[in-house]
Amino acid sequence: TFKVQQPQEQLLATAGQTITLSCNVSGHGPIGPVEWLKGRGNENKTIYAQTSSSPRVTRVVNGSNTDFSIHIRDVQPEDAGTYYCVKYKRSVGQSAPLQFFQSGKGTVVSVHAKPTTPVVFGPEQRAGPGESATFTCETGGFFPRSISVRWLKNQAPISAQQPQISPGQSNSSYSLSSRVTLTLQREDVRSQLACEVQHPTLRAPLRGTYRLREALRVSPSVRLLPEPSSVDVNQTLNLSCRAEGFYPREVSVSWLENGREEKVENTSRAAETRQGLFELSSLLEVQATEEKNGSAFACRVLHDGQEPVSRTFTLWIAVPAKE
């Protein structure tokens, strides 16, 4: 009697390995080839046939009439599935379709795969101190499903929502998405967030990082100096507008006299403070002529698309008493 023997019930591989699927036939059967299929029924896919197969698939013993074992090189998670060694019988005439005759019990192949390096995404818009922001960590391509994730802020663990683990497109690997929501602080301009994943295929956790300053906005505090009560006529007054403690660095300063914009050449470059924030100053030179008496000079600071911050100074000229 004819028999197809497929001894391996299960086979576990790591992505990138070469696996060997064993199949032997014994006894006398009808004329017809032995092939390898992945899956059953309509879902099946020919993995090895004498006339055509993938370059990754080769016979272990070429030309053998009894040993139909195959090697599959560089296995990937999508190669996971059940493989059948199948004997066909050929009807009369070469062009007639092959008919199924007998198959082995099937070998279930599982492929362990490492997760990709986690990537941490921040919010689309910056948030200010005291506001909350949500961060997402993503990794994928791993098998089996069991995976753990932990978040750290400046190396200290923080609690996160339950991660979402979903099957990949071919159900042979998984992806993970984990979220954490933080209330940002001014000091976070120096902080780092890290997402660590641990998986059975890894010797050490994989880590993705994010600098919180990418998500932080600290608005400037604005001061106008000096603020004299009155100025002598025709005196030159140097007004200084200081914008302090802001992040990110980009800021624009403009001066207005009675609502009309003044041309200002003298604005310093933003300098970084010890806290990692920025500051700058802008100078306006004013000739205290009599017609400027009661004029309002405003310094307007525009930062990160927020409402501008303005400080206004009203110029009062001390008119000397007439003789």
Side-chain angles (χ1 to χ4, degrees):
T1 55
F2 183 82
K3 200 152 192 218
V4 177
Q5 287 161 317
Q6 207 178 329
Q8 302 148 295
E9 283 181 24
Q10 292 197 324
L11 191 61
L12 175 60
T14 303
Q17 278 185 335
T18 295
I19 59 169
T20 302
L21 295 173
S22 302
C23 174
N24 286 282
V25 301
S26 57
H28 289 290
I31 291 172
V34 172
E35 296 181 359
W36 279 90
L37 301 183
K38 180 184 172 192
R40 275 275 202 229
N42 299 334
E43 295 292 301
N44 78 42
K45 181 177 158 200
T46 304
I47 297 300
Y48 177 83
Q50 269 116 329
T51 50
S52 63
S53 74
S54 150
R56 292 193 297 135
V57 183
T58 50
R59 286 272 303 265
V60 175
V61 185
N62 271 328
S64 169
N65 290 326
T66 56
D67 188 341
F68 290 93
S69 305
I70 54 169
H71 295 307
I72 303 178
R73 277 190 306 111
D74 187 28
V75 289
Q76 296 303 320
E78 51 270 25
D79 291 321
T82 307
Y83 289 77
Y84 296 94
C85 181
V86 180
K87 168 70 176 173
Y88 289 97
K89 63 179 178 184
R90 197 182 289 289
S91 314
V92 183
Q94 285 293 331
S95 59
L98 294 172
Q99 287 181 303
F100 174 85
F101 182 70
Q102 202 184 89
S103 109
K105 289 178 185 165
T107 302
V108 178
V109 173
S110 305
V111 182
H112 277 197
K114 292 178 182 177
T116 54
T117 302
V119 179
V120 182
F121 299 96
E124 286 183 11
Q125 291 183 316
R126 292 178 185 269
E131 295 175 356
S132 63
T134 299
F135 303 85
T136 307
C137 172
E138 292 181 357
T139 178
F142 57 89
F143 190 90
R145 186 179 188 278
S146 61
I147 193 168
S148 64
V149 60
R150 75 176 186 143
W151 287 87
L152 304 150
K153 180 183 169 184
N154 300 333
Q155 307 297 340
I158 51 175
S159 62
Q161 299 169 23
Q162 191 67 23
Q164 287 185 306
I165 300 169
S166 46
Q169 289 162 339
S170 60
N171 283 350
S172 48
S173 69
Y174 292 91
S175 60
L176 169 138
S177 176
S178 173
R179 299 174 82 184
V180 69
T181 301
L182 293 178
T183 302
L184 297 179
Q185 311 296 342
R186 281 170 73 90
E187 305 76 59
D188 286 333
V189 75
R190 292 259 199 255
S191 296
Q192 180 171 275
L193 200 56
C195 163
E196 280 188 353
V197 296
Q198 183 58 280
H199 188 256
T201 56
L202 298 172
R203 290 205 180 120
L206 285 176
R207 181 178 239 216
T209 59
Y210 185 95
R211 290 193 206 166
L212 285 180
R213 66 181 183 211
E214 305 296 332
L216 180 68
R217 175 205 318 112
V218 184
S219 298
S221 61
V222 179
R223 293 187 296 150
L224 258 184
L225 303 168
E227 288 197 18
S229 52
S230 68
V231 178
D232 291 339
V233 71
N234 292 335
Q235 187 184 338
T236 300
L237 180 65
N238 287 314
L239 286 177
S240 171
C241 177
R242 290 191 58 77
E244 296 168 325
F246 57 90
Y247 192 91
R249 168 183 235 140
E250 293 70 38
V251 71
S252 74
V253 180
S254 54
W255 286 90
L256 304 148
E257 183 183 342
N258 297 326
R260 260 197 351 268
E261 197 157 329
E262 294 285 288
K263 192 168 191 298
V264 177
E265 312 273 317
N266 199 352
T267 299
S268 69
R269 195 174 137 72
E272 192 170 353
T273 67
R274 278 170 53 193
Q275 290 79 34
L277 302 171
F278 290 94
E279 59 185 16
L280 62 67
S281 57
S282 179
L283 297 175
L284 180 70
E285 204 175 81
V286 177
Q287 286 300 119
T289 56
E290 280 189 39
E291 59 267 24
K292 287 194 190 292
N293 195 20
S295 288
F297 292 89
C299 160
R300 191 170 66 183
V301 177
L302 196 60
H303 180 251
D304 198 54
Q306 302 301 293
E307 285 290 309
V309 182
S310 294
R311 294 288 176 269
T312 304
F313 165 82
T314 305
L315 180 66
W316 298 113
I317 293 170
V319 181
K322 296 240 162 65
E323 286 295 316

